[in-house]
Amino acid sequence: MTAAALPETCAVPGVLWVSPATALYLGPSLGLAAHSTSVHCLVVGADGPVRIEVGAHTVTGRSVLVPPRTVHRVLAEPGTRILFCYNDATAARARDLTVLMTRPGVFATGHRHEAELLRLCGGGAPSGKDLRAAAFGEGTAPEPRIRRTIERVRADPVGCTAISLAQAEGLSTPYVLRLFSRETGTSFRRYRLWMRMLRAAESIAAGADLTRAAADAGFASPSHFSDAFLAMFGLSATALFGTGATLVVGDSPADW
């Protein structure tokens, strides 16, 4: 790829917006290792195209929708910024997200609101709320049983189990797991892990160190948390916060 002239904002540390169900990051590309997200993630090259590599297959574009549970690498020119938008499963069903992309595929490209996303990224201090709205829109909420199940996971990502969640709805565990995957596009296990990561981020924002945050999120040890974070995001939590990234936490995206 040919690098375009970079704006001064490229030298500015990134911003990480977190709420109990979703997260966004806008900042330097960080040279991520191969990783596998737990939820759908819209990747936007704020200053130029991004490449998504899956094995020998490569997709290039300014906006790419990455499905969960798929090991991939995100590549961009050094110094350029990337926007990562992790989907809130309570707000939009997985199949709604693909409708927002103009070029379908396993890694769909060409978000319908790409121009608006790039405009927001080009601003001096974009709003996380506005970025999320442009990325995902209103969407269609999952069916009621899964919506309630998701809320229970959000309330207790450490203690909840598939068995207890199925019992709460009066359903069999295998049926709930199939329905959960159909509605959210990811597995219950991976979504629960995602929610534990967000719980850790909330603890860090409240002043906890990584050891305390790992314990709050139910990880057996700081190293277990570190390994899980690296596998999900492509870099360690220590490396991310070592960049000076700003962490913005709210009860919902409306607080961003």
Side-chain angles (χ1 to χ4, degrees), residues 218-252:
F219 291 95
S221 65
S223 62
H224 181 208
F225 168 66
S226 180
D227 290 346
F229 195 98
L230 177 63
M232 186 178 292
F233 299 109
L235 80 169
S236 68
T238 300
L240 173 61
F241 293 109
T243 66
T246 299
L247 180 58
V248 179
V249 176
D251 291 333
S252 75

PDB file of all heavy atoms in Angstrom, residues 218-252:
ATOM      1  N   GLY A 218     -12.584 -12.594  36.940  1.00  0.00           N
ATOM      2  CA  GLY A 218     -12.669 -14.041  37.089  1.00  0.00           C
ATOM      3  C   GLY A 218     -11.554 -14.835  36.459  1.00  0.00           C
ATOM      4  O   GLY A 218     -11.694 -16.055  36.275  1.00  0.00           O
ATOM      5  N   PHE A 219     -10.431 -14.184  36.139  1.00  0.00           N
ATOM      6  CA  PHE A 219      -9.301 -14.924  35.580  1.00  0.00           C
ATOM      7  C   PHE A 219      -8.478 -15.523  36.712  1.00  0.00           C
ATOM      8  O   PHE A 219      -8.294 -14.909  37.766  1.00  0.00           O
ATOM      9  CB  PHE A 219      -8.440 -14.008  34.707  1.00  0.00           C
ATOM     10  CG  PHE A 219      -9.116 -13.594  33.439  1.00  0.00           C
ATOM     11  CD1 PHE A 219      -9.805 -12.390  33.360  1.00  0.00           C
ATOM     12  CD2 PHE A 219      -9.095 -14.416  32.315  1.00  0.00           C
ATOM     13  CE1 PHE A 219     -10.459 -12.016  32.201  1.00  0.00           C
ATOM     14  CE2 PHE A 219      -9.744 -14.047  31.145  1.00  0.00           C
ATOM     15  CZ  PHE A 219     -10.426 -12.845  31.091  1.00  0.00           C
ATOM     16  N   ALA A 220      -7.970 -16.733  36.478  1.00  0.00           N
ATOM     17  CA  ALA A 220      -7.270 -17.463  37.530  1.00  0.00           C
ATOM     18  C   ALA A 220      -5.991 -16.769  37.969  1.00  0.00           C
ATOM     19  O   ALA A 220      -5.566 -16.912  39.115  1.00  0.00           O
ATOM     20  CB  ALA A 220      -6.963 -18.883  37.054  1.00  0.00           C
ATOM     21  N   SER A 221      -5.375 -16.015  37.074  1.00  0.00           N
ATOM     22  CA  SER A 221      -4.122 -15.343  37.385  1.00  0.00           C
ATOM     23  C   SER A 221      -3.914 -14.206  36.385  1.00  0.00           C
ATOM     24  O   SER A 221      -4.545 -14.178  35.315  1.00  0.00           O
ATOM     25  CB  SER A 221      -2.947 -16.322  37.280  1.00  0.00           C
ATOM     26  OG  SER A 221      -2.783 -16.757  35.940  1.00  0.00           O
ATOM     27  N   PRO A 222      -3.028 -13.258  36.690  1.00  0.00           N
ATOM     28  CA  PRO A 222      -2.722 -12.200  35.718  1.00  0.00           C
ATOM     29  C   PRO A 222      -2.207 -12.741  34.399  1.00  0.00           C
ATOM     30  O   PRO A 222      -2.509 -12.195  33.337  1.00  0.00           O
ATOM     31  CB  PRO A 222      -1.646 -11.370  36.438  1.00  0.00           C
ATOM     32  CG  PRO A 222      -1.916 -11.587  37.891  1.00  0.00           C
ATOM     33  CD  PRO A 222      -2.375 -13.021  37.994  1.00  0.00           C
ATOM     34  N   SER A 223      -1.452 -13.843  34.450  1.00  0.00           N
ATOM     35  CA  SER A 223      -0.926 -14.410  33.210  1.00  0.00           C
ATOM     36  C   SER A 223      -2.045 -15.012  32.361  1.00  0.00           C
ATOM     37  O   SER A 223      -2.003 -14.936  31.122  1.00  0.00           O
ATOM     38  CB  SER A 223       0.142 -15.470  33.509  1.00  0.00           C
ATOM     39  OG  SER A 223      -0.411 -16.557  34.239  1.00  0.00           O
ATOM     40  N   HIS A 224      -3.051 -15.606  33.011  1.00  0.00           N
ATOM     41  CA  HIS A 224      -4.209 -16.131  32.286  1.00  0.00           C
ATOM     42  C   HIS A 224      -4.945 -15.000  31.583  1.00  0.00           C
ATOM     43  O   HIS A 224      -5.320 -15.101  30.401  1.00  0.00           O
ATOM     44  CB  HIS A 224      -5.148 -16.849  33.260  1.00  0.00           C
ATOM     45  CG  HIS A 224      -6.354 -17.443  32.617  1.00  0.00           C
ATOM     46  ND1 HIS A 224      -7.550 -17.631  33.284  1.00  0.00           N
ATOM     47  CD2 HIS A 224      -6.582 -17.874  31.339  1.00  0.00           C
ATOM     48  CE1 HIS A 224      -8.439 -18.159  32.463  1.00  0.00           C
ATOM     49  NE2 HIS A 224      -7.884 -18.301  31.282  1.00  0.00           N
ATOM     50  N   PHE A 225      -5.143 -13.885  32.302  1.00  0.00           N
ATOM     51  CA  PHE A 225      -5.776 -12.708  31.704  1.00  0.00           C
ATOM     52  C   PHE A 225      -4.940 -12.183  30.544  1.00  0.00           C
ATOM     53  O   PHE A 225      -5.469 -11.857  29.476  1.00  0.00           O
ATOM     54  CB  PHE A 225      -5.950 -11.632  32.777  1.00  0.00           C
ATOM     55  CG  PHE A 225      -6.333 -10.288  32.223  1.00  0.00           C
ATOM     56  CD1 PHE A 225      -7.563 -10.094  31.605  1.00  0.00           C
ATOM     57  CD2 PHE A 225      -5.469  -9.206  32.330  1.00  0.00           C
ATOM     58  CE1 PHE A 225      -7.918  -8.848  31.090  1.00  0.00           C
ATOM     59  CE2 PHE A 225      -5.817  -7.959  31.821  1.00  0.00           C
ATOM     60  CZ  PHE A 225      -7.039  -7.782  31.206  1.00  0.00           C
ATOM     61  N   SER A 226      -3.630 -12.095  30.730  1.00  0.00           N
ATOM     62  CA  SER A 226      -2.744 -11.577  29.690  1.00  0.00           C
ATOM     63  C   SER A 226      -2.799 -12.430  28.428  1.00  0.00           C
ATOM     64  O   SER A 226      -2.862 -11.910  27.309  1.00  0.00           O
ATOM     65  CB  SER A 226      -1.305 -11.505  30.218  1.00  0.00           C
ATOM     66  OG  SER A 226      -0.427 -11.009  29.234  1.00  0.00           O
ATOM     67  N   ASP A 227      -2.788 -13.744  28.612  1.00  0.00           N
ATOM     68  CA  ASP A 227      -2.835 -14.654  27.455  1.00  0.00           C
ATOM     69  C   ASP A 227      -4.158 -14.513  26.714  1.00  0.00           C
ATOM     70  O   ASP A 227      -4.195 -14.509  25.476  1.00  0.00           O
ATOM     71  CB  ASP A 227      -2.654 -16.104  27.915  1.00  0.00           C
ATOM     72  CG  ASP A 227      -1.236 -16.400  28.398  1.00  0.00           C
ATOM     73  OD1 ASP A 227      -0.332 -15.581  28.129  1.00  0.00           O
ATOM     74  OD2 ASP A 227      -1.048 -17.436  29.063  1.00  0.00           O
ATOM     75  N   ALA A 228      -5.261 -14.421  27.459  1.00  0.00           N
ATOM     76  CA  ALA A 228      -6.583 -14.293  26.835  1.00  0.00           C
ATOM     77  C   ALA A 228      -6.702 -12.957  26.105  1.00  0.00           C
ATOM     78  O   ALA A 228      -7.272 -12.887  25.009  1.00  0.00           O
ATOM     79  CB  ALA A 228      -7.678 -14.428  27.890  1.00  0.00           C
ATOM     80  N   PHE A 229      -6.195 -11.886  26.704  1.00  0.00           N
ATOM     81  CA  PHE A 229      -6.239 -10.559  26.082  1.00  0.00           C
ATOM     82  C   PHE A 229      -5.437 -10.550  24.780  1.00  0.00           C
ATOM     83  O   PHE A 229      -5.896 -10.035  23.751  1.00  0.00           O
ATOM     84  CB  PHE A 229      -5.674  -9.525  27.059  1.00  0.00           C
ATOM     85  CG  PHE A 229      -5.991  -8.094  26.702  1.00  0.00           C
ATOM     86  CD1 PHE A 229      -7.046  -7.437  27.304  1.00  0.00           C
ATOM     87  CD2 PHE A 229      -5.228  -7.404  25.762  1.00  0.00           C
ATOM     88  CE1 PHE A 229      -7.345  -6.114  26.981  1.00  0.00           C
ATOM     89  CE2 PHE A 229      -5.520  -6.098  25.422  1.00  0.00           C
ATOM     90  CZ  PHE A 229      -6.581  -5.448  26.036  1.00  0.00           C
ATOM     91  N   LEU A 230      -4.247 -11.135  24.808  1.00  0.00           N
ATOM     92  CA  LEU A 230      -3.411 -11.196  23.613  1.00  0.00           C
ATOM     93  C   LEU A 230      -4.086 -11.991  22.501  1.00  0.00           C
ATOM     94  O   LEU A 230      -4.079 -11.582  21.333  1.00  0.00           O
ATOM     95  CB  LEU A 230      -2.062 -11.830  23.964  1.00  0.00           C
ATOM     96  CG  LEU A 230      -1.074 -12.040  22.817  1.00  0.00           C
ATOM     97  CD1 LEU A 230      -0.666 -10.708  22.199  1.00  0.00           C
ATOM     98  CD2 LEU A 230       0.164 -12.788  23.324  1.00  0.00           C
ATOM     99  N   ALA A 231      -4.699 -13.120  22.852  1.00  0.00           N
ATOM    100  CA  ALA A 231      -5.359 -13.950  21.844  1.00  0.00           C
ATOM    101  C   ALA A 231      -6.563 -13.245  21.230  1.00  0.00           C
ATOM    102  O   ALA A 231      -6.871 -13.443  20.053  1.00  0.00           O
ATOM    103  CB  ALA A 231      -5.801 -15.274  22.471  1.00  0.00           C
ATOM    104  N   MET A 232      -7.248 -12.372  22.010  1.00  0.00           N
ATOM    105  CA  MET A 232      -8.443 -11.714  21.525  1.00  0.00           C
ATOM    106  C   MET A 232      -8.148 -10.428  20.759  1.00  0.00           C
ATOM    107  O   MET A 232      -8.840 -10.101  19.797  1.00  0.00           O
ATOM    108  CB  MET A 232      -9.390 -11.404  22.681  1.00  0.00           C
ATOM    109  CG  MET A 232     -10.745 -10.849  22.243  1.00  0.00           C
ATOM    110  SD  MET A 232     -11.880 -10.541  23.614  1.00  0.00           S
ATOM    111  CE  MET A 232     -12.216 -12.209  24.174  1.00  0.00           C
ATOM    112  N   PHE A 233      -7.100  -9.693  21.177  1.00  0.00           N
ATOM    113  CA  PHE A 233      -6.862  -8.373  20.597  1.00  0.00           C
ATOM    114  C   PHE A 233      -5.549  -8.230  19.841  1.00  0.00           C
ATOM    115  O   PHE A 233      -5.321  -7.209  19.179  1.00  0.00           O
ATOM    116  CB  PHE A 233      -6.933  -7.304  21.687  1.00  0.00           C
ATOM    117  CG  PHE A 233      -8.274  -7.226  22.362  1.00  0.00           C
ATOM    118  CD1 PHE A 233      -8.435  -7.662  23.666  1.00  0.00           C
ATOM    119  CD2 PHE A 233      -9.388  -6.734  21.693  1.00  0.00           C
ATOM    120  CE1 PHE A 233      -9.666  -7.605  24.296  1.00  0.00           C
ATOM    121  CE2 PHE A 233     -10.624  -6.676  22.310  1.00  0.00           C
ATOM    122  CZ  PHE A 233     -10.762  -7.121  23.611  1.00  0.00           C
ATOM    123  N   GLY A 234      -4.662  -9.201  19.949  1.00  0.00           N
ATOM    124  CA  GLY A 234      -3.422  -9.138  19.180  1.00  0.00           C
ATOM    125  C   GLY A 234      -2.295  -8.385  19.848  1.00  0.00           C
ATOM    126  O   GLY A 234      -1.228  -8.198  19.242  1.00  0.00           O
ATOM    127  N   LEU A 235      -2.477  -7.931  21.078  1.00  0.00           N
ATOM    128  CA  LEU A 235      -1.411  -7.328  21.878  1.00  0.00           C
ATOM    129  C   LEU A 235      -1.799  -7.464  23.334  1.00  0.00           C
ATOM    130  O   LEU A 235      -2.953  -7.758  23.652  1.00  0.00           O
ATOM    131  CB  LEU A 235      -1.183  -5.865  21.522  1.00  0.00           C
ATOM    132  CG  LEU A 235      -2.129  -4.796  22.100  1.00  0.00           C
ATOM    133  CD1 LEU A 235      -1.558  -3.411  21.845  1.00  0.00           C
ATOM    134  CD2 LEU A 235      -3.525  -4.916  21.551  1.00  0.00           C
ATOM    135  N   SER A 236      -0.847  -7.269  24.228  1.00  0.00           N
ATOM    136  CA  SER A 236      -1.140  -7.420  25.646  1.00  0.00           C
ATOM    137  C   SER A 236      -1.809  -6.170  26.191  1.00  0.00           C
ATOM    138  O   SER A 236      -1.679  -5.071  25.635  1.00  0.00           O
ATOM    139  CB  SER A 236       0.160  -7.685  26.427  1.00  0.00           C
ATOM    140  OG  SER A 236       0.984  -6.527  26.421  1.00  0.00           O
ATOM    141  N   ALA A 237      -2.513  -6.337  27.312  1.00  0.00           N
ATOM    142  CA  ALA A 237      -3.132  -5.184  27.967  1.00  0.00           C
ATOM    143  C   ALA A 237      -2.060  -4.197  28.410  1.00  0.00           C
ATOM    144  O   ALA A 237      -2.236  -2.972  28.320  1.00  0.00           O
ATOM    145  CB  ALA A 237      -3.955  -5.646  29.163  1.00  0.00           C
ATOM    146  N   THR A 238      -0.924  -4.715  28.869  1.00  0.00           N
ATOM    147  CA  THR A 238       0.177  -3.848  29.284  1.00  0.00           C
ATOM    148  C   THR A 238       0.667  -3.007  28.113  1.00  0.00           C
ATOM    149  O   THR A 238       0.911  -1.802  28.259  1.00  0.00           O
ATOM    150  CB  THR A 238       1.334  -4.683  29.846  1.00  0.00           C
ATOM    151  OG1 THR A 238       0.877  -5.437  30.975  1.00  0.00           O
ATOM    152  CG2 THR A 238       2.496  -3.796  30.268  1.00  0.00           C
ATOM    153  N   ALA A 239       0.781  -3.631  26.943  1.00  0.00           N
ATOM    154  CA  ALA A 239       1.244  -2.897  25.764  1.00  0.00           C
ATOM    155  C   ALA A 239       0.230  -1.845  25.337  1.00  0.00           C
ATOM    156  O   ALA A 239       0.597  -0.719  24.974  1.00  0.00           O
ATOM    157  CB  ALA A 239       1.502  -3.867  24.613  1.00  0.00           C
ATOM    158  N   LEU A 240      -1.068  -2.180  25.397  1.00  0.00           N
ATOM    159  CA  LEU A 240      -2.090  -1.224  24.994  1.00  0.00           C
ATOM    160  C   LEU A 240      -2.068   0.013  25.877  1.00  0.00           C
ATOM    161  O   LEU A 240      -1.996   1.146  25.386  1.00  0.00           O
ATOM    162  CB  LEU A 240      -3.475  -1.876  25.060  1.00  0.00           C
ATOM    163  CG  LEU A 240      -4.666  -0.934  24.831  1.00  0.00           C
ATOM    164  CD1 LEU A 240      -4.598  -0.293  23.449  1.00  0.00           C
ATOM    165  CD2 LEU A 240      -5.981  -1.676  25.005  1.00  0.00           C
ATOM    166  N   PHE A 241      -2.114  -0.183  27.185  1.00  0.00           N
ATOM    167  CA  PHE A 241      -2.167   0.965  28.075  1.00  0.00           C
ATOM    168  C   PHE A 241      -0.806   1.652  28.197  1.00  0.00           C
ATOM    169  O   PHE A 241      -0.729   2.815  28.591  1.00  0.00           O
ATOM    170  CB  PHE A 241      -2.718   0.550  29.437  1.00  0.00           C
ATOM    171  CG  PHE A 241      -4.163   0.149  29.383  1.00  0.00           C
ATOM    172  CD1 PHE A 241      -4.549  -1.171  29.537  1.00  0.00           C
ATOM    173  CD2 PHE A 241      -5.148   1.097  29.132  1.00  0.00           C
ATOM    174  CE1 PHE A 241      -5.888  -1.547  29.461  1.00  0.00           C
ATOM    175  CE2 PHE A 241      -6.487   0.738  29.051  1.00  0.00           C
ATOM    176  CZ  PHE A 241      -6.862  -0.582  29.215  1.00  0.00           C
ATOM    177  N   GLY A 242       0.250   0.927  27.806  1.00  0.00           N
ATOM    178  CA  GLY A 242       1.574   1.545  27.773  1.00  0.00           C
ATOM    179  C   GLY A 242       1.714   2.576  26.668  1.00  0.00           C
ATOM    180  O   GLY A 242       2.647   3.384  26.683  1.00  0.00           O
ATOM    181  N   THR A 243       0.805   2.557  25.692  1.00  0.00           N
ATOM    182  CA  THR A 243       0.840   3.557  24.623  1.00  0.00           C
ATOM    183  C   THR A 243       0.290   4.907  25.082  1.00  0.00           C
ATOM    184  O   THR A 243       0.378   5.892  24.350  1.00  0.00           O
ATOM    185  CB  THR A 243      -0.002   3.100  23.410  1.00  0.00           C
ATOM    186  OG1 THR A 243      -1.395   3.037  23.785  1.00  0.00           O
ATOM    187  CG2 THR A 243       0.445   1.740  22.903  1.00  0.00           C
ATOM    188  N   GLY A 244      -0.297   4.941  26.271  1.00  0.00           N
ATOM    189  CA  GLY A 244      -0.910   6.177  26.744  1.00  0.00           C
ATOM    190  C   GLY A 244      -2.345   6.340  26.301  1.00  0.00           C
ATOM    191  O   GLY A 244      -2.908   7.443  26.392  1.00  0.00           O
ATOM    192  N   ALA A 245      -2.955   5.265  25.817  1.00  0.00           N
ATOM    193  CA  ALA A 245      -4.337   5.335  25.346  1.00  0.00           C
ATOM    194  C   ALA A 245      -5.268   5.794  26.468  1.00  0.00           C
ATOM    195  O   ALA A 245      -5.125   5.393  27.621  1.00  0.00           O
ATOM    196  CB  ALA A 245      -4.792   3.969  24.828  1.00  0.00           C
ATOM    197  N   THR A 246      -6.217   6.642  26.111  1.00  0.00           N
ATOM    198  CA  THR A 246      -7.218   7.129  27.050  1.00  0.00           C
ATOM    199  C   THR A 246      -8.359   6.126  27.140  1.00  0.00           C
ATOM    200  O   THR A 246      -8.844   5.640  26.124  1.00  0.00           O
ATOM    201  CB  THR A 246      -7.773   8.491  26.606  1.00  0.00           C
ATOM    202  OG1 THR A 246      -6.701   9.441  26.554  1.00  0.00           O
ATOM    203  CG2 THR A 246      -8.840   8.987  27.565  1.00  0.00           C
ATOM    204  N   LEU A 247      -8.796   5.808  28.343  1.00  0.00           N
ATOM    205  CA  LEU A 247      -9.893   4.873  28.550  1.00  0.00           C
ATOM    206  C   LEU A 247     -11.129   5.645  28.980  1.00  0.00           C
ATOM    207  O   LEU A 247     -11.118   6.353  29.996  1.00  0.00           O
ATOM    208  CB  LEU A 247      -9.511   3.847  29.623  1.00  0.00           C
ATOM    209  CG  LEU A 247     -10.539   2.766  29.984  1.00  0.00           C
ATOM    210  CD1 LEU A 247     -10.923   1.947  28.765  1.00  0.00           C
ATOM    211  CD2 LEU A 247      -9.997   1.863  31.086  1.00  0.00           C
ATOM    212  N   VAL A 248     -12.204   5.528  28.184  1.00  0.00           N
ATOM    213  CA  VAL A 248     -13.466   6.203  28.477  1.00  0.00           C
ATOM    214  C   VAL A 248     -14.513   5.128  28.755  1.00  0.00           C
ATOM    215  O   VAL A 248     -14.818   4.314  27.885  1.00  0.00           O
ATOM    216  CB  VAL A 248     -13.922   7.086  27.293  1.00  0.00           C
ATOM    217  CG1 VAL A 248     -15.253   7.765  27.623  1.00  0.00           C
ATOM    218  CG2 VAL A 248     -12.849   8.117  26.942  1.00  0.00           C
ATOM    219  N   VAL A 249     -15.065   5.118  29.959  1.00  0.00           N
ATOM    220  CA  VAL A 249     -16.022   4.090  30.369  1.00  0.00           C
ATOM    221  C   VAL A 249     -17.360   4.742  30.671  1.00  0.00           C
ATOM    222  O   VAL A 249     -17.431   5.805  31.301  1.00  0.00           O
ATOM    223  CB  VAL A 249     -15.524   3.331  31.608  1.00  0.00           C
ATOM    224  CG1 VAL A 249     -16.572   2.324  32.087  1.00  0.00           C
ATOM    225  CG2 VAL A 249     -14.228   2.595  31.289  1.00  0.00           C
ATOM    226  N   GLY A 250     -18.450   4.121  30.220  1.00  0.00           N
ATOM    227  CA  GLY A 250     -19.790   4.605  30.504  1.00  0.00           C
ATOM    228  C   GLY A 250     -20.741   3.454  30.734  1.00  0.00           C
ATOM    229  O   GLY A 250     -20.427   2.311  30.392  1.00  0.00           O
ATOM    230  N   ASP A 251     -21.888   3.736  31.307  1.00  0.00           N
ATOM    231  CA  ASP A 251     -22.895   2.701  31.523  1.00  0.00           C
ATOM    232  C   ASP A 251     -23.517   2.241  30.204  1.00  0.00           C
ATOM    233  O   ASP A 251     -24.062   1.142  30.115  1.00  0.00           O
ATOM    234  CB  ASP A 251     -23.990   3.207  32.452  1.00  0.00           C
ATOM    235  CG  ASP A 251     -23.497   3.393  33.878  1.00  0.00           C
ATOM    236  OD1 ASP A 251     -22.544   2.685  34.259  1.00  0.00           O
ATOM    237  OD2 ASP A 251     -24.046   4.249  34.582  1.00  0.00           O
ATOM    238  N   SER A 252     -23.449   3.099  29.181  1.00  0.00           N
ATOM    239  CA  SER A 252     -23.924   2.756  27.842  1.00  0.00           C
ATOM    240  C   SER A 252     -23.198   3.660  26.851  1.00  0.00           C
ATOM    241  O   SER A 252     -22.583   4.653  27.261  1.00  0.00           O
ATOM    242  CB  SER A 252     -25.440   2.973  27.726  1.00  0.00           C
ATOM    243  OG  SER A 252     -25.725   4.354  27.636  1.00  0.00           O
TER     244      SER A 252
END
